[in-house]
Amino acid sequence: MNIPNTNLKRVVIIGSGFGGLQVAYKLNRKFFQIVLIDKNNYHTFQPLLYQVATFGLEPDSIAKSIRTILNNYYNFFFRLAKVNFIDLKTQIIFSNMGELYYDYLILATGSKTNFFGKKNIEKFALPMKTLEEALNLRNCILQRFESALYETNYKKQCLLMNFVIVGGGPTGVELAGSLAEFKSSIFPKDYPELDNKKIKIHLIQATKRLLDGMSESSSKKALKYLKNMGVNVWLNNPVKDYDGKILSTNKGKLKSINVIWTAGVKGALIKGLKKKYLANNRIQVDCFNKVKGEKNLFAIGDVAVMKPNGHPMIALPAMKQGIHLAKNFNRFFSKKQLIPFNYHNKITMAIIGRNKAVCDIFFLKISGFFAWLIWMSIHLIKIVGFRNKLLTLINWGTQYINYNKSIRLIINY
Ligand SMILES: Cc1cc2nc3c(=O)[nH]c(=O)nc-3n(C[C@H](O)[C@H](O)[C@H](O)COP(=O)(O)OP(=O)(O)OC[C@H]3O[C@@H](n4cnc5c(N)ncnc54)[C@H](O)[C@@H]3O)c2cc1C
């Protein structure tokens, strides 16, 4: 991969997401040569993917090139490559762009969509885990309305505008809310020839409540908001199969050619890892993020599960683990004692729409306008880069004033 050999130990980080970026930021480059590898040349702010899919934000407001983020870092190398295999014995990683020796390897590869082994669903449903998928979803939704204009058959027209979201976690809830707002405020202006009552939005959840990771009261509030916005919520209703036209669930069948899958993620593993420390597609690590039985292999973020119970697969623990691991590396090489990682999730939240969000902060359960304000502020702070923050703020500001989402472009790439 054309990385110079030096006397310094080489730390290879795979994945420039929330966790990997933090390690790269915080590792002391006097001690190490750092190589960051990612299959994309940008970092994605995944919490706002749904806004790209539902015409609220441009993709480049939530993505930033790695080279822009980490330019001028000495002793640091970025390589655009997909790592396919790790040879733990020889300490070499194999990628589509060549191979590389490491002294220490940090896996920060995040997660990927979990279809729970349902091949048909994987084939026909629309996922939303990457920027490409969010853009694809945006194209697909808009294209359906354009096609509906040509359709003279009532049933076929309704079918084009029948959207089913599977998964009642934050992503599903946010997507359903955003589509419902589109239906009521933008759709009538853009498509006056079509009847917006024909748009149906279904949200299907396998368990008995939405937002399983949040408090009961936030979950009830989110349900109430969505129902008021016209979303058909189906609880306790695991999906069985989907053939591209009919979705089979425990409670019956739904006809839809637009099934969006947000029902779960699993660790993005790379071949070569040993089965003995893998659990439910994640890599088991100790409180120092070290993989058991491997002296120079570490994992952080979504792909890692820290004993005994693991952390939620969200951005903050990934970032904190990245910062913490880098600090421990620096401490180790300064001959200081290592500090175990300690994290308790204090804030969970989801946005449903304009002035509507739910927020669990410690023991406080907030909903409505203040929760919405907290959600907006925290997400704005967390977006990487000043330009992206500004772009997002401008978009949100104008959308709030105009009741409009202006990025309704179908761009087939
Ligand atoms: C739609 C959606 C909404 C979300 N909303 C929220 C939210 O509101 N709040 C919240 O806290 N969290 C949210 N999350 C979860 C959050 O985004 C993840 O927990 C976080 O991204 C995990 O960080 P990470 O560093 O482990 O992995 P990621 O940020 O996913 O980064 C992994 C990186 O590894 C790279 N990679 C993977 N495999 C390879 C390979 N083989 N070779 C090279 N590179 C590779 C990927 O390209 C990627 O850049 C959401 C996630 C999604 C998908």
Side-chain angles (χ1 to χ4, degrees):
M1 293 179 99
N2 202 15
I3 306 285
N5 287 321
T6 63
N7 294 331
L8 294 175
K9 295 280 182 201
R10 179 181 289 157
V11 180
V12 174
I13 308 161
I14 309 177
S16 62
F18 284 94
L21 260 191
Q22 294 304 323
V23 191
Y25 275 138
K26 304 281 177 195
L27 272 179
N28 189 333
R29 284 175 300 281
K30 282 185 202 148
F31 296 150
F32 313 103
Q33 180 192 62
I34 301 160
V35 183
L36 178 64
I37 303 175
D38 202 295
K39 58 187 177 185
N40 297 313
N41 77 334
Y42 54 83
H43 165 85
T44 310
F45 190 79
Q46 293 171 33
L48 293 180
L49 276 176
Y50 86 95
Q51 296 213 359
V52 172
T54 52
F55 341 115
L57 290 173
E58 294 100 345
D60 61 348
S61 334
I62 66 155
K64 195 165 169 74
S65 125
I66 310 293
R67 293 199 184 278
T68 325
I69 301 171
L70 292 166
N71 62 5
N72 297 328
Y73 270 44
Y74 89 104
N75 239 339
F76 168 82
F77 300 85
F78 174 70
R79 288 292 182 267
L80 176 63
K82 182 170 193 276
V83 178
N84 298 317
F85 186 76
I86 303 164
D87 188 335
L88 295 166
K89 261 195 191 154
T90 57
Q91 296 181 203
I92 293 176
I93 54 143
F94 294 83
S95 79
N96 61 340
M97 297 305 287
E99 48 195 71
L100 185 69
Y101 173 83
Y102 63 84
D103 291 298
Y104 296 96
L105 180 63
I106 300 173
L107 299 173
T109 47
S111 53
K112 55 186 185 182
T113 304
N114 193 353
F115 295 97
F116 302 96
K118 295 181 190 298
K119 291 279 169 226
N120 272 346
I121 296 180
E122 186 168 353
K123 188 171 169 193
F124 294 112
L126 296 156
M128 197 194 59
K129 180 73 181 74
T130 64
L131 208 52
E132 293 93 325
E133 287 168 356
L135 273 173
N136 185 38
L137 194 53
R138 181 177 91 183
N139 285 341
C140 175
I141 296 168
L142 291 173
Q143 189 61 61
R144 293 297 191 229
F145 298 134
E146 296 300 328
S147 304
L149 286 169
Y150 289 94
E151 192 54 70
T152 47
N153 179 297
Y154 178 84
K155 278 189 178 167
K156 284 184 183 167
Q157 199 179 52
C158 290
L159 188 65
L160 283 164
M161 300 196 280
N162 191 25
F163 296 90
V164 180
I165 299 159
V166 184
T171 304
V173 165
E174 289 168 358
L175 202 52
S178 196
L179 272 179
E181 282 194 333
F182 173 81
K183 171 184 170 178
S184 61
S185 58
I186 301 166
F187 185 85
K189 290 182 217 155
D190 269 18
Y191 299 97
E193 297 156 74
L194 295 170
D195 177 4
N196 79 339
K197 287 191 200 79
K198 285 181 187 161
I199 301 182
K200 299 280 178 240
I201 303 160
H202 301 272
L203 177 62
I204 300 189
Q205 166 72 328
T207 62
K208 64 177 192 297
R209 66 182 181 96
L210 296 176
L211 303 173
D212 265 331
M214 295 191 70
S215 64
E216 188 97 32
S217 68
S218 293
S219 152
K220 277 186 185 155
K221 196 82 197 180
L223 179 65
K224 195 173 160 197
Y225 281 141
L226 285 175
K227 282 190 168 169
N228 288 344
M229 291 161 86
V231 176
N232 305 303
V233 182
W234 303 80
L235 299 174
N236 252 327
N237 195 19
V239 165
K240 292 198 279 199
D241 205 358
Y242 178 52
D243 66 1
K245 284 184 185 145
I246 309 271
L247 185 81
S248 311
T249 74
N250 261 15
K251 290 188 176 169
K253 296 189 173 187
L254 258 176
K255 231 177 175 185
S256 175
I257 52 169
N258 312 307
V259 170
I260 304 165
W261 188 258
T262 66
V265 289
K266 60 181 180 181
L269 299 174
I270 297 176
K271 282 189 185 140
L273 297 168
K274 294 176 190 158
K275 275 195 180 136
K276 65 178 181 188
Y277 44 71
L278 299 183
N280 294 326
N281 263 282
R282 289 171 90 188
I283 306 164
Q284 289 181 309
V285 293
D286 63 17
C287 59
F288 303 104
N289 284 96
K290 196 174 89 59
V291 180
K292 201 180 165 192
E294 304 288 347
K295 64 179 188 329
N296 50 4
L297 181 64
F298 298 81
I300 57 171
D302 278 5
V303 78
V305 58
M306 192 175 281
K307 287 177 176 176
N309 301 322
H311 299 103
M313 291 165 92
I314 53 174
L316 202 57
M319 290 171 86
K320 295 223 165 190
Q321 282 180 8
I323 296 167
H324 193 83
L325 181 60
K327 277 189 187 161
N328 268 340
F329 261 78
N330 298 341
R331 289 179 75 85
F332 183 71
F333 278 81
S334 313
K335 306 214 172 350
K336 290 182 186 161
Q337 210 181 351
L338 303 188
I339 302 168
F341 181 74
N342 195 6
Y343 168 86
H344 296 288
N345 200 29
K346 290 161 195 139
I347 305 184
T348 40
M349 52 193 165
I351 188 166
I352 295 96
R354 188 186 177 83
N355 300 339
K356 294 183 200 80
V358 286
C359 231
D360 292 350
I361 306 178
F362 297 99
F363 51 88
L364 274 181
K365 321 285 173 231
I366 310 170
S367 61
F369 177 74
F370 284 108
W372 174 83
L373 213 56
I374 294 170
W375 188 98
M376 301 292 261
S377 314
I378 289 183
H379 281 76
L380 203 58
I381 292 166
K382 281 207 248 158
I383 294 175
V384 178
F386 177 73
R387 177 189 166 274
N388 288 10
K389 286 184 206 296
L390 196 65
L391 273 178
T392 306
L393 185 66
I394 293 169
N395 270 311
W396 284 352
T398 47
Q399 283 163 30
Y400 195 78
I401 296 163
N402 300 333
Y403 285 79
N404 205 342
K405 292 181 180 185
S406 52
I407 307 149
R408 300 192 292 280
L409 314 176
I410 301 174
I411 302 173
N412 290 312
Y413 53 95

